[in-house]
Amino acid sequence: MESQSTSAALYATISSPMRSIGAVPKDTEQLRHHLKNGKGFLNPWDSYIEQTVPQILRALLWRKFRGKMKSPDTTPPTVPVRTPIFLPTRETPALRATWLGHACYYVEFPSGLRVLFDPVFTARCSPLTFIGPKRYTKLPCQIEDIPFIDLVVISHSHYDHLSHPTILEIKQRHPNVHFFAPLGNKKWFEKAGVHNATELDWWQSRQFTLSKQPKSEKLEHEDVDGTVSVGKSEDIEATIECLPCQHTSGRTPFNKSHTLWASWCVASGGKKIWFGGDTGYRTVPELPAGEDDYDEKYNLPHCPAFKEIGDFRGPFDLGLIPIGAYDPRCIMSSMHANPFDSVNIFTDTRCKQALGIHWGTWVLTYEDVLEPPRLLKRALARSAISEEGVFDVCEIGESREYAGSKIP
């Protein structure tokens, strides 16, 4: 394994602001997801119905009081956990993704780029160390075990996706790391003493370059045609784009939706992934027990953003798509996809393959802890996606490789 000093010898440069790397939906410039007073954000689609934090808490407590919910059993065995194997160098012929629990994935690109998504390396996803959801599956590794971290991509500010102690340790161990987060979150990073952070709005992007020399020290030379270019041998290039999803944000009951939430596209070395982060797809009302909310008689509106992502940025080599934390459906559906939603998101975004995230780590809702992968199989069968491994789940700490042809 290369030492930390070796891995820290690459210098990051980020392009000046770019609204987009290509065509965008026609209403993008209207910024419909911005509150008119400039103090927060919203989901601008019929697929989302707003619920306040007190409304959600009252609804959950009332259902529990009526005996309609019981806490899921986390008695082992649940989700298998293995010690991950990270590549000791930046050499890899394929896209490689390692699940580190919940929404956290470590992705190794063939270009040499190493990206960590939504890392939370704490026992609880909470502002406090003694209360809040506690892991029922152990951490597969520690931050110190990861040899390279070039980028950390954050989907939104909820505690199961953005962890203060985790961010500080990553910064300490990987001083040149750069953080990307949705609009409004940069202030949080600066308050934490982290200044190498970029915040983006939906459909904004940046070009990211890792070089062995600082830009100021690169050798310039005159080409045959008289133009001057910068000497380059082994730079790592990437494009990072912030994209929509249907969710909320907040770190207290009093700052809901003050900062933006997002999905992300990261492309490097001819490989491109879509990270769904945390999202809903539709808002499902309370239905009679046993009713299928996908029955044609309900015809509920779904979020159009995923089809736009697929049309304007797809296809993707790999999608990291949430499949858990969805029960009770009438309360959680606007914010959290269930596996039937997830398969539709997979299709809409035009992912060639996908892995399930947002399950298997903390009890956040009331479905059985092993239900998400079971429902995913049923959802895939209903959608006639029969090929093994197209949309799959894996063990915590397991790595999957994706070769195939490059996406331009």
Side-chain angles (χ1 to χ4, degrees), residues 88 181 200 212 233 237 261 285 346 353 401:
L200 297 178
K212 287 191 174 180
S233 56
E237 305 282 351
W261 48 94
F346 168 75
Q353 293 182 267
E401 291 193 357

Side-chain angles (χ1 to χ4, degrees), residues 40 156 289:
H156 66 295

Side-chain angles (χ1 to χ4, degrees), residues 97-117:
T98 305
W99 188 33
L100 300 180
H102 199 54
C104 182
Y105 254 91
Y106 180 70
V107 179
E108 297 160 295
F109 284 82
S111 64
L113 183 72
R114 303 298 186 247
V115 184
L116 193 59
F117 293 92

Side-chain angles (χ1 to χ4, degrees), residues 156-388:
H156 66 295
S157 65
H158 285 156
Y159 284 94
D160 55 324
H161 297 260
L162 177 60
S163 163
H164 183 268
T166 299
I167 296 300
L168 293 185
E169 185 176 352
I170 290 173
K171 176 62 177 173
Q172 178 187 3
R173 295 184 179 278
H174 299 269
N176 288 348
V177 68
H178 199 88
F179 299 88
F180 280 87
L183 205 61
N185 285 288
K186 188 171 183 177
K187 184 184 295 185
W188 181 92
F189 282 92
E190 291 176 343
K191 189 175 180 180
V194 177
H195 300 285
N196 47 344
T198 297
E199 62 177 23
L200 297 178
D201 201 353
W202 292 350
W203 300 102
Q204 283 186 334
S205 60
R206 294 290 186 277
Q207 297 298 128
F208 178 83
T209 304
L210 281 175
S211 308
K212 287 191 174 180
Q213 298 171 283
K215 187 176 180 181
S216 60
E217 296 179 9
K218 285 191 176 183
L219 176 66
E220 292 187 347
H221 66 275
E222 187 171 330
D223 294 334
V224 175
D225 61 3
T227 61
V228 175
S229 61
V230 178
K232 168 186 169 299
S233 56
E234 299 179 15
D235 285 0
I236 296 172
E237 305 282 351
T239 301
I240 296 91
E241 185 166 22
C242 182
L243 294 169
C245 68
Q246 180 173 296
H247 199 56
T248 61
S249 66
R251 294 177 76 77
T252 75
F254 311 106
N255 64 0
K256 185 183 179 189
S257 299
H258 285 197
T259 60
L260 189 58
W261 48 94
S263 65
W264 293 85
C265 169
V266 179
S268 184
K271 294 292 185 181
K272 184 163 59 174
I273 74 164
W274 180 70
F275 174 65
D278 195 354
T279 186
Y281 188 64
R282 306 180 304 150
T283 297
V284 178
E286 186 160 13
L287 302 176
E291 282 284 289
D292 181 1
D293 56 70
Y294 269 100
D295 192 297
E296 290 183 2
K297 66 185 177 185
Y298 294 117
N299 194 27
L300 300 172
H302 64 270
C303 180
F306 303 107
K307 181 70 163 52
E308 293 176 339
I309 290 169
D311 290 344
F312 287 94
R313 293 296 175 267
F316 299 94
D317 292 287
L318 178 65
L320 303 174
I321 300 177
I323 64 170
Y326 48 78
D327 183 53
R329 189 91 161 115
C330 62
I331 299 171
M332 296 296 170
S333 58
S334 61
M335 300 174 290
H336 291 163
N338 79 354
F340 292 93
D341 298 328
S342 306
V343 170
N344 285 324
I345 291 171
F346 168 75
T347 302
D348 288 352
T349 52
R350 298 176 61 206
C351 293
K352 291 183 175 180
Q353 293 182 267
L355 289 167
I357 64 172
H358 205 260
W359 74 285
T361 307
W362 291 288
V363 171
L364 302 176
T365 48
Y366 290 91
E367 72 272 8
D368 180 80
V369 296
L370 293 177
E371 183 180 274
R374 293 199 300 265
L375 284 191
L376 180 60
K377 288 184 178 180
R378 286 172 48 190
L380 289 167
R382 177 184 288 187
S383 299
I385 300 174
S386 58
E387 186 179 345
E388 181 115 9

Side-chain angles (χ1 to χ4, degrees), residues 13-90:
T13 56
I14 299 173
S15 69
S16 56
M18 299 168 62
R19 181 65 209 170
S20 175
I21 57 174
V24 298
K26 61 183 180 181
D27 63 348
T28 298
E29 296 300 329
Q30 297 176 19
L31 301 179
R32 294 171 53 223
H33 58 294
H34 288 227
L35 288 175
K36 300 306 180 186
N37 61 10
K39 295 183 179 179
F41 305 89
L42 54 81
N43 294 287
W45 311 290
D46 293 339
S47 56
Y48 182 84
I49 297 176
E50 181 65 43
Q51 299 178 85
T52 65
V53 172
Q55 282 177 325
I56 293 170
L57 291 176
R58 279 199 303 268
L60 289 172
L61 289 172
W62 177 241
R63 291 177 70 87
K64 192 157 190 175
F65 175 75
R66 293 164 63 195
K68 286 193 170 184
M69 295 188 305
K70 63 177 182 178
S71 298
D73 183 10
T74 59
T75 305
T78 54
V79 184
V81 180
R82 64 172 73 174
T83 301
I85 299 173
F86 303 114
L87 298 176
T89 72
R90 291 184 181 270

